[in-house]
Amino acid sequence: MGVSNPPSEPQGPDQESIPSALRGLDAALPELVDLYRDLHAHPELSFEEHRTAAEIARHATAYGCDVTPGVGRTGVVAVLDNGEGPTVLLRADFDALPLVERTGLPYASRTEGVMHACGHDLHVTCLLGALKLLAAARGSWCGRIVAVFQPAEEIGEGAQAMVDDGIFERFGIPDVVLGQHVAPLPAGMVACHAGEAFAATDSLKVVMYGKGAHGSRPETSVDPVVMAAATVMRLQTVVSREVPAGETAVLTVGALRAGTVDNIIPDEAELRLSIRSYKEDVRARMRAAVERIVRGEAWVAGATREPEFTQLDAFPVLVNDEAAVARTMAAIGAVVGDGQVIDPGPVTGSEDVGILGTAAKAPVCYWLFGGCDPGTYAAAQAAGTVDSDIPSNHSPRFAPVPEPAVTTGVTALTTAALEWLGRPPA
């Protein structure tokens, strides 16, 4: 996800800074690891996460939370009230991806063509783990925890659906929005960037229309396969030739679909692509360039029908509040060790959690945490093969190691929550 190489010799934690709430983590780990494996084996697509939502509600209720299902269609909100004090929103997403899993794990997906390839199963596990520890340690904090289990992050609609369903009118305005995302870093590490932290994304479907014919008589056709192939190649110049060198942007064509058999030239071809950027002017410039190139290639090919553009989803830039990042990372660093907290720079992945912060007018701090076995990562780093040997998010081979990834995520989220919650009177 575009993170920097971690330091080779991290510093240890300050033992006096470890919150008392974390003392229950070792006892909770067997349950949490089992939960993670169960969620991984039963992935569900966006807005279809009914089993996952039921499991979330069951566990959160058992921990003493006031649970409300069906927020934003399939979302779940679990509240822990513990007297007067700040309101802290903790967020985890829980939808999966339309992908065939190739991890070979004994707890691999049992749902054909669907996989937790982005780690949302781990996000849920860690937030439930944090709730379990915080509920058992009510004597160490005061205030209100609003745990938001969000659907449909992968299509960029879940956070807005929960806002539209009145999440803040129903559960209160938070003082801060906190959350995390697993990344292909060694477990034990936390990475956070202040400011523009995750890119804006525009996902498009483009249909290019030609004229079908027999494969033996291409001269009677307007071949949309050639048209689309030329378009894909031309689109690769958008970032290199139209975006200023000092700006960061990505344009990816993730799908090209056309035809059914080898000897039929089809009538149309479909492209699916994503545009990622951090600045609105760059975003607008790239979108305009895409449309110009697509229309231009269609005209050059002799198409008699204009291409069709459909917006599939869009994510705004996620902006991490600088003061919230400094405060939160200082607290987490004191527990996991300062050398275990890094600044990864802007991440070109996208996230819709910022919509919650914007709607609530609350600062956001959203960080990455490591999910890779530290030994495996160290070996790949020494060999210079991290990119090839460490599967990243959205890979069919992506699978965070249960431990110590669960420990890392629960520790970071619990520590961050306690930093923002109040302290009971002595």
Side-chain angles (χ1 to χ4, degrees):
M1 298 180 70
V3 296
S4 305
N5 286 333
S8 57
E9 296 183 4
Q11 302 171 11
D14 176 1
Q15 295 299 317
E16 294 183 358
S17 300
I18 297 176
S20 59
L22 290 174
R23 294 172 187 162
L25 180 52
D26 286 346
L29 276 176
E31 174 194 338
L32 295 176
V33 169
D34 285 347
L35 172 64
Y36 167 56
R37 289 172 173 159
D38 177 73
L39 293 174
H40 189 87
H42 298 92
E44 296 171 299
L45 295 175
S46 302
F47 289 131
E48 297 176 10
E49 315 96 328
H50 303 291
R51 181 188 186 276
T52 308
E55 284 298 299
I56 290 167
R58 182 172 70 85
H59 281 80
T61 299
Y63 303 154
C65 298
D66 182 8
V67 177
T68 304
V71 182
R73 294 172 62 176
T74 49
V76 180
V77 176
V79 177
L80 273 177
D81 268 316
N82 196 29
E84 294 296 323
T87 296
V88 176
L89 188 154
L90 307 178
R91 179 269 203 175
D93 43 12
F94 58 83
D95 55 331
L97 287 159
L99 193 66
V100 176
E101 181 162 355
R102 303 196 186 281
T103 63
L105 292 167
Y107 52 91
S109 172
R110 300 176 190 172
T111 306
E112 185 176 356
V114 182
M115 177 193 174
H116 267 302
C118 202
H120 296 186
D121 45 353
L122 184 58
H123 301 171
V124 169
T125 301
C126 292
L127 180 47
L128 284 172
L131 285 178
K132 183 180 178 71
L133 298 186
L134 291 165
R138 288 176 182 267
S140 65
W141 61 274
C142 60
R144 195 162 189 260
I145 298 170
V146 179
V148 175
F149 295 89
Q150 181 204 304
E153 185 277 334
E154 293 293 355
I155 61 174
E157 297 181 16
Q160 191 62 53
M162 298 189 88
V163 170
D164 293 343
D165 201 15
I167 184 173
F168 298 121
E169 294 80 3
R170 296 164 66 181
F171 304 101
I173 303 295
D175 294 286
V176 68
V177 173
L178 303 174
Q180 59 185 4
H181 201 300
V182 67
L185 288 168
M189 299 213 65
V190 174
C192 190
H193 181 70
E196 295 166 341
F198 285 70
T201 296
D202 293 288
S203 296
L204 303 176
K205 179 178 80 170
V206 178
V207 180
M208 305 188 78
Y209 296 99
K211 177 186 175 184
H214 195 287
S216 66
R217 301 191 65 208
E219 72 277 8
T220 66
S221 74
V222 176
D223 193 334
V225 178
V226 174
M227 192 191 312
T231 300
V232 170
M233 295 306 297
R234 181 69 178 177
L235 287 174
Q236 305 311 306
T237 67
V238 171
V239 173
S240 66
R241 291 295 177 268
E242 304 204 32
V243 175
E247 301 289 349
T248 299
V250 178
L251 192 156
T252 297
V253 179
L256 194 168
R257 303 185 180 105
T260 54
V261 294
D262 62 294
N263 64 346
I264 298 175
I265 296 172
D267 283 324
E268 62 186 56
E270 176 185 302
L271 303 176
R272 296 201 175 208
L273 56 95
S274 67
I275 300 167
R276 298 175 186 269
S277 58
Y278 296 96
K279 303 288 179 59
E280 279 302 318
D281 60 333
V282 173
R283 189 178 191 178
R285 188 171 186 171
M286 291 179 70
R287 177 66 181 262
V290 167
E291 293 201 15
R292 186 190 73 241
I293 288 169
V294 170
R295 295 184 193 281
E297 290 293 346
W299 181 83
V300 167
T304 58
R305 181 177 173 184
E306 282 288 304
E308 185 178 284
F309 298 84
T310 303
Q311 181 95 34
L312 298 176
D313 57 57
F315 294 75
V317 174
L318 170 59
V319 180
N320 269 335
D321 181 84
E322 292 191 9
V325 167
R327 178 177 174 179
T328 307
M329 291 303 108
I332 292 175
V335 174
V336 302
D338 287 337
Q340 294 283 70
V341 177
I342 64 171
D343 183 344
V347 175
T348 50
S350 299
E351 254 292 342
D352 68 352
V353 65
I355 291 172
L356 299 175
T358 299
K361 296 184 173 63
V364 175
C365 180
Y366 192 78
W367 62 88
L368 303 173
F369 70 102
C372 181
D373 176 78
T376 301
Y377 192 97
Q381 189 174 32
T385 57
V386 170
D387 287 344
S388 59
D389 290 352
I390 306 298
S392 63
N393 306 69
H394 289 219
S395 162
R397 295 175 178 81
F398 180 75
V401 61
E403 267 300 289
V406 171
T407 289
T408 303
V410 174
T411 297
L413 201 55
T414 303
T415 302
L418 288 169
E419 172 62 25
W420 287 88
L421 290 163
R423 298 291 179 269

